[in-house]
Amino acid sequence: MSGEQVCEMLHISKRTLQQYRDDILIPFIKLERKILFREGGIIKVLEDNYQR
């Protein structure tokens, strides 16, 4: 997924997404100059941090 798609999915800003990356809160991969996110990785982080 692209950064824009992740921002839309999580309802966050691009800056917040950058901070999450910097803090290694969400997994990402870097291919040349592109940063991509696996949808499964995002969902796993959400499930692992979900509190009832």
Side-chain angles (χ1 to χ4, degrees):
M1 297 177 69
S2 71
E4 264 185 39
Q5 291 171 318
V6 174
C7 288
E8 287 177 22
M9 178 183 179
L10 300 179
H11 304 286
I12 59 175
S13 69
K14 289 180 182 181
R15 181 64 191 120
T16 300
L17 180 60
Q18 172 69 45
Q19 190 63 51
Y20 288 174
R21 276 192 6 238
D22 292 346
D23 295 342
I24 314 172
L25 296 176
I26 57 173
F28 64 94
I29 54 175
K30 194 171 184 180
L31 296 174
E32 295 182 18
R33 292 184 173 180
K34 281 193 150 192
I35 294 175
L36 301 173
F37 304 86
R38 289 191 173 110
E39 185 174 5
I42 302 293
I43 292 171
K44 182 167 177 16
V45 168
L46 292 174
E47 288 173 349
D48 290 349
N49 292 293
Y50 178 74
Q51 298 176 2
R52 292 180 184 216

